Amino acid sequence: MKITKFLQTLGISILTILPLSACGNDENEPGNKPVDPDPIVTEFAKGVDMSWLTKMESEGLKFYAPGSSTAGDAMQILRDSKGVNSMRLRVWVNPADKWDNIEDVMVKARRAHALGLKLMIDFHFSDTWADPGHQETPAAWKNLDLAGLQTAVADHVTDMLTKLKNEGITPEWVQIGNEITPGMLHPLGNIDKPENLAKLINAGYDAVKAVNPNIKVIVHLDRGEDAWRYNNVFGKIKNYGAKYDIIGMSLYPENPSSENPSNWKSMTDQCLTNIKTLHKTYGKPIMICEVGMHYSQGAMAKEWLTYLRNESEKLGYVDGIFYWEPQAPAGYNNGYFKGCFINGAPTEALDAFKH
């Protein structure tokens, strides 16, 4: 029986009870804590970024389920053996080779979708890596003014998401920029020009929502343990009306080649404190978009990720965790050591996602 019909049988009008539910609850009144804009409880994202996968497969790399000698699909292996439920894929505008362009992303997105994985699309807005040390404007966009860059951002986002939509694929999340601590699309989108940066973020945000208003937009920074950089960026772009749904973080508790990441507990606690402060200040949920630990430290990585996951889920406003390129062999791409596969098979690191 519907609630309105039930109330009518009791002689009660729903209009008479609605004010009662609003009275006495001043949580949303001005001056009180921000309301979580993402109140719907969804499944915690136990995710991985496997953007290198098609390139690795073209190079002949093989992947195996734990204890198996039969090669298989790395995405399915992590879904079935580790409980992975989400996939993150980066997009470059016009890379020097085909990897990570829109067409390559479509190949991986189809595979992830067929496996029932939720999807995050990570727009770098560059022809190559975008991160705190590199936020280079794509070559084809170099001579554009701010208005032109806004249009280029919107068109690029629309192109990617429309191609996905036409195949029945809807991302759960979209990143507008990757680790944009120094801003993005330099020099015009530098963090020292926060009004410009906010306009570029909003161009992407509006394009996402025009394709599907239910897709959640993430603004992502590096070093989740460093509160200063989050307050600097989010404070500045707030002043110019930047629109986003989720604050994204990276967390890497050691140097790239370190085999003894003994600082993981203290760094993670700093990150958790930062998460609490950011949620209280900006009223946004948090997504941990990138994590990683040295490939040789499977047991330690499992302990760390289990702690991070448990403490994050307790908070109730952390939407998930994504491990960056777990399938990468040691030293891949001139020095990446933070994968968690050895001899083509996953270590125990991602057992933290199994339950």
Side-chain angles (χ1 to χ4, degrees), residues 168-189:
I169 303 172
T170 301
E172 187 91 2
W173 314 274
V174 163
Q175 276 187 221
I176 298 300
N178 187 74
E179 293 188 332
I180 65 168
T181 309
M184 64 184 187
L185 293 163
H186 285 183
L188 289 179

Side-chain angles (χ1 to χ4, degrees), residues 16-86:
T16 65
I17 67 167
L18 285 175
L20 296 176
S21 64
C23 292
N25 179 7
D26 62 353
E27 185 174 86
N28 298 337
E29 292 298 316
N32 290 308
K33 68 178 182 179
V35 177
D36 187 343
D38 183 28
I40 299 173
V41 178
T42 59
E43 183 182 16
F44 191 84
K46 299 174 290 184
V48 291
D49 185 318
M50 301 182 82
S51 299
W52 268 329
L53 183 58
T54 45
K55 181 176 186 290
M56 289 176 172
E57 291 169 339
S58 77
E59 295 165 348
L61 273 71
K62 304 294 183 183
F63 305 97
Y64 305 89
S68 174
S69 59
T70 303
D73 176 10
M75 289 187 186
Q76 185 171 354
I77 288 167
L78 289 183
R79 186 197 68 175
D80 295 347
S81 69
K82 302 298 182 181
V84 165
N85 63 18
S86 302

Side-chain angles (χ1 to χ4, degrees), residues 156-178:
H156 180 56
V157 169
T158 301
D159 188 15
M160 176 81 256
L161 298 187
T162 300
K163 282 184 168 63
L164 290 168
K165 183 178 181 178
N166 289 343
E167 298 196 24
I169 303 172
T170 301
E172 187 91 2
W173 314 274
V174 163
Q175 276 187 221
I176 298 300
N178 187 74

Side-chain angles (χ1 to χ4, degrees), residues 87-91 105 118-125 153-154 156-158 160-162 164 169-178 180 184 200-201 203-220 243-248 287 289 319 322:
M87 182 64 56
R88 178 179 185 253
L89 300 171
R90 64 178 165 266
V91 189
V105 174
K118 294 184 290 186
L119 183 63
M120 180 189 295
I121 296 295
D122 174 18
F123 288 101
H124 281 227
F125 300 119
V153 164
H156 180 56
V157 169
T158 301
M160 176 81 256
L161 298 187
T162 300
L164 290 168
I169 303 172
T170 301
E172 187 91 2
W173 314 274
V174 163
Q175 276 187 221
I176 298 300
N178 187 74
I180 65 168
M184 64 184 187
L200 292 169
I201 291 170
Y205 178 96
D206 290 342
V208 171
K209 299 297 184 176
V211 174
N212 189 320
N214 295 318
I215 299 173
K216 300 166 189 173
V217 174
I218 300 173
V219 171
H220 169 223
K243 295 180 287 188
Y244 58 95
D245 303 313
I246 298 174
I247 292 172
M287 180 68 80
C289 298
D319 286 356
F322 284 76

